[in-house]
Amino acid sequence: MHNLMQDMPLRVGRLIDHAARFHGKRPLTGRSIEGPIVTSTWAEQRIRALRVAKKLNADGLGRGDILGVMGWNTLRFLELWYGIPGCGAALHTLNPRLAPEQLVYIINHAGDRMLFVDLDLVPIIARIRDQLPAVRNVIVLTDAAHMPEGSDGMIAYEEWLAEADGDFDWVQGDEHDACGICYTSGTTGNPKGVVYTHRSNTLHALAVQSPDMLSLGAADTLMPVVPLFHANGWSTAFVGPLSGCALVLPGRDLTPAGVYEMLEMGVTITAAVPTVWLGLLSYLDAGDLRFSTLKRVAIGGSSCPRAVIERFQNHYGIHVLHAWGMTEMSPIGTICSFKPEVLALSAEERLDFQETVGHPPFSVDLRIVDEEGHDLPWDGVAQGRLLTKGDAVVRRYLKADTDATDADGWFDTGDMATMTESGYVRITDRSKDIIKSGGEWISSIALENAAIAHPEVAEAAAVAWSHPKWGERPVLCVVPRPGTTPDPESIRAALAEHFAKWQLPDDILFLEELPHTATGKISKLNLRKNLVASGYALGS
Ligand code: ADP
């Protein structure tokens, strides 16, 4: 009686097949790079993706090939998302905000054979084109009439695609085949390629869709503001068709006004990093605007300040899903949803829990360990390195010689965390950012979030500065809100409500802006470098 059930490889083409078959007319709406709003459906989108796959095979590309895509969230990107794996190849997402030398490195390291690029991003590729020997063609995601200047030698996507009809079947194969590739940002050393398989992407989407995670259904309209090129697009392009929901894709206009306009197209659930929402909330405040349809907002990528959660929930009636994850985890590791013991708490106490990143879905396992690798108790206090294991967690980076996990398969996330008895995870820091003062740890994230709650603080970053007696001491860098000049003592007083005296920053520095990484996070590495270059000394 062994193995009497059907056995079909978990390949991502099945996700869009399902959407086309059972939710075929659900609307997909996007802002095109040319400007106008364009519409499609799951059924139409599937045909477009099949045409992409057929044309790629006709061009001699398929199994074993890696094809790069540099584009914003549009319907064309969505058809490549399925068309490329559907031809047997792997889709390598390229972040246009990376420095040119990093792009050259990752395109050559992966060995991309073809590049698809949005028309506004052509100059980025044109500048490095002669350093990409393996790239056969560059295809610009537009029609012949909109080919931009500087695209000589490149091909207009619609003309290229016109040569293939949709009479095609997805290339079949093993569920462990490579499906997509995303490089980590490479803040330390060269970027590393994470290779998602068809199986890992499918299982991850099932996990992320579930009720305690995004809880996505066919009645939802999902808008990923998070770019598809960032960390596997947070799986949004897989959970969308899996659940049969409608989609809104915002294109390249990620200004608060642009995002708000698209959210008002019936969106019920959206996802992005905290900085996007900080900008949007100020915009809403200034214009006294409300949301008509939005119900849930997933926030992750860096720690979401309590003030943002409160504002969304108490003022706008929109529930916040605080999420944590990383490129290596496909990327979602945990989402904060309420277990019954949390639901039973007061609203204020529930907010305390929402500062944690919640608990993992089935398929993700977690541990916290001390420096020697011994398990730490889940008491909400003990803080250690957060390790993970799961069906959609990296085992080995692309072209690496050794596994990225320990001998038992645990991957060190590089984050420090505490866990409660019921498995709620609080990220206290990245292990390299934590501030070690006199043998005790100070969480830079906690300092930053407390500072952000000050009405005159727009952005804050706490960094460790070496100190002869204490080892390290915290220094808080603050960007004031436009038109304000905050008094450092008022910030210190606000922090003192949450921290012991020895945890308060030695200095509070006011800067016009903070350096950010290509994924929009504060780059503490560059911040420290800038401070050193400016001659900063502790207490000066
Ligand atoms: P990059 O380093 O390129 O930005 P990732 O998106 O993979 O790439 O970053 C993952 C890291 O982001 C995590 O290891 C963690 O440090 C941080 N992070 C993600 N979500 C959160 C969160 N909700 N709270 C705190 N840190 C977070």
Side-chain angles (χ1 to χ4, degrees):
M1 58 189 186
H2 170 71
N3 202 15
L4 298 186
M5 298 306 277
Q6 300 185 13
D7 189 4
M8 295 177 280
L10 296 172
R11 295 197 47 112
V12 298
R14 290 175 56 193
L15 300 173
I16 197 163
D17 287 349
H18 169 78
R21 212 163 148 71
F22 294 100
H23 309 275
K25 295 209 171 100
R26 200 84 58 226
L28 312 177
T29 310
R31 196 199 292 280
S32 65
I33 305 304
E34 294 85 351
I37 301 292
V38 286
T39 56
S40 182
T41 62
W42 283 121
E44 288 167 13
Q45 199 67 19
R46 176 175 171 274
I47 299 291
R48 297 265 305 177
L50 284 165
R51 288 173 59 195
V52 170
K54 183 170 184 173
K55 176 68 176 123
L56 285 169
N57 273 185
D59 284 359
L61 294 162
R63 297 180 69 81
D65 289 322
I66 299 177
L67 312 179
V69 181
M70 186 191 281
W72 308 106
N73 292 4
T74 63
L75 291 174
R76 288 198 179 109
F77 200 155
L78 189 63
E79 66 213 27
L80 294 173
W81 196 268
Y82 285 92
I84 292 175
C87 88
L91 188 161
H92 175 194
T93 49
L94 300 169
N95 182 346
R97 298 182 189 122
L98 288 176
E101 55 274 21
Q102 276 196 330
L103 279 171
V104 169
Y105 174 83
I106 67 172
I107 292 170
N108 288 338
H109 184 265
D112 294 354
R113 308 266 323 265
M114 199 183 231
L115 298 181
F116 294 86
V117 55
D118 265 338
L119 68 97
D120 61 313
L121 304 173
V122 161
I124 298 178
I125 296 299
R127 211 175 332 142
I128 57 174
R129 179 69 185 94
D130 59 357
Q131 299 171 61
L132 310 173
V135 172
R136 287 209 316 220
N137 291 316
V138 178
I139 303 204
V140 184
L141 294 166
T142 191
D143 52 23
H146 289 90
M147 284 296 275
E149 246 178 71
S151 58
D152 307 342
M154 302 183 187
I155 299 166
Y157 177 70
E158 292 297 341
E159 294 207 331
W160 173 82
L161 192 59
E163 291 169 26
D165 60 27
D167 184 14
F168 189 69
D169 290 323
W170 304 123
V171 168
Q172 294 302 323
D174 191 274
E175 63 184 21
H176 299 94
D177 284 346
C179 175
I181 299 178
C182 183
Y183 278 71
T184 61
S185 69
T187 38
T188 51
N190 275 327
K192 298 190 274 291
V194 178
V195 185
Y196 310 110
T197 64
H198 282 262
R199 172 190 157 88
S200 70
N201 274 332
T202 308
L203 289 176
H204 191 62
L206 281 165
V208 167
Q209 183 214 8
S210 61
D212 275 345
M213 295 288 121
L214 289 186
S215 187
L216 204 66
D220 276 309
T221 298
L222 167 69
M223 177 160 108
V225 179
V226 54
L228 291 175
F229 59 74
H230 183 201
N232 208 14
W234 292 12
S235 192
T236 51
F238 297 124
V239 280
L242 174 85
S243 59
C245 69
L247 277 192
V248 174
L249 299 171
R252 74 169 149 152
D253 182 2
L254 299 182
T255 60
V259 169
Y260 178 70
E261 186 191 339
M262 297 307 280
L263 285 173
E264 283 299 288
M265 293 193 175
V267 173
T268 58
I269 173 165
T270 182
V273 293
T275 37
V276 167
W277 303 127
L278 281 167
L280 187 76
L281 287 174
S282 308
Y283 174 80
L284 293 174
D285 273 351
D288 200 17
L289 301 167
R290 309 290 295 191
F291 296 109
S292 321
T293 52
L294 191 64
K295 294 193 179 67
R296 306 194 299 294
V297 45
I299 307 183
S302 50
S303 176
C304 182
R306 185 184 181 106
V308 170
I309 304 176
E310 265 180 323
R311 189 75 185 155
F312 265 118
Q313 294 184 168
N314 300 350
H315 190 71
Y316 295 103
I318 288 161
H319 185 67
V320 169
L321 297 164
H322 193 184
W324 163 82
M326 59 196 314
T327 305
E328 286 90 336
M329 297 180 76
S330 296
I332 294 178
T334 59
I335 289 186
C336 190
S337 55
F338 299 150
K339 298 189 185 187
E341 55 271 30
V342 177
L343 258 182
L345 299 171
S346 70
E348 202 59 18
E349 286 168 322
R350 281 204 300 266
L351 262 175
D352 293 342
F353 269 87
Q354 287 186 288
E355 287 185 282
T356 78
V357 293
H359 49 97
F362 170 75
S363 79
V364 175
D365 198 1
L366 297 172
R367 284 165 72 199
I368 42 173
V369 298
D370 65 15
E371 293 297 320
E372 282 81 48
H374 302 305
D375 279 284
L376 289 168
W378 294 9
D379 57 6
V381 178
Q383 179 179 220
R385 302 178 78 90
L386 184 58
L387 309 186
T388 185
K389 195 181 215 182
D391 301 280
V393 176
V394 70
R395 180 173 63 80
R396 185 180 288 213
Y397 294 106
L398 180 62
K399 297 182 182 165
D401 299 327
T402 53
D403 284 353
T405 60
D406 68 16
D408 298 322
W410 291 93
F411 175 78
D412 188 334
T413 65
D415 286 332
M416 305 292 291
T418 62
M419 291 177 72
T420 67
E421 192 189 358
S422 55
Y424 279 79
V425 177
R426 182 185 293 267
I427 304 293
T428 51
D429 237 318
R430 281 195 165 190
S431 50
K432 62 182 186 303
D433 291 335
I434 198 152
I435 303 159
K436 296 184 190 104
S437 177
E440 300 284 345
W441 286 343
I442 306 171
S443 158
S444 68
I445 290 182
L447 278 177
E448 288 154 9
N449 283 343
I452 281 280
H454 187 284
E456 292 179 332
V457 173
E459 221 179 355
V463 291
W465 209 260
S466 63
H467 186 279
K469 178 165 176 203
W470 301 112
E472 288 175 354
R473 290 295 302 151
V475 173
L476 185 70
C477 299
V478 165
V479 179
R481 273 186 190 275
T484 67
T485 6
D487 171 9
E489 282 320 307
S490 76
I491 297 178
R492 197 177 295 278
L495 295 178
E497 287 178 28
H498 307 280
F499 294 92
K501 208 159 165 244
W502 65 269
Q503 294 176 314
L504 295 177
D506 281 21
D507 282 326
I508 298 181
L509 310 178
F510 293 97
L511 304 175
E512 268 169 36
E513 57 178 359
L514 293 171
H516 289 89
T517 67
T519 50
K521 299 178 193 187
I522 295 169
S523 168
K524 297 207 178 162
L525 191 74
N526 287 339
L527 177 58
R528 273 194 212 95
K529 274 192 200 155
N530 295 350
L531 290 178
V532 170
S534 72
Y536 169 72
L538 204 61
S540 62

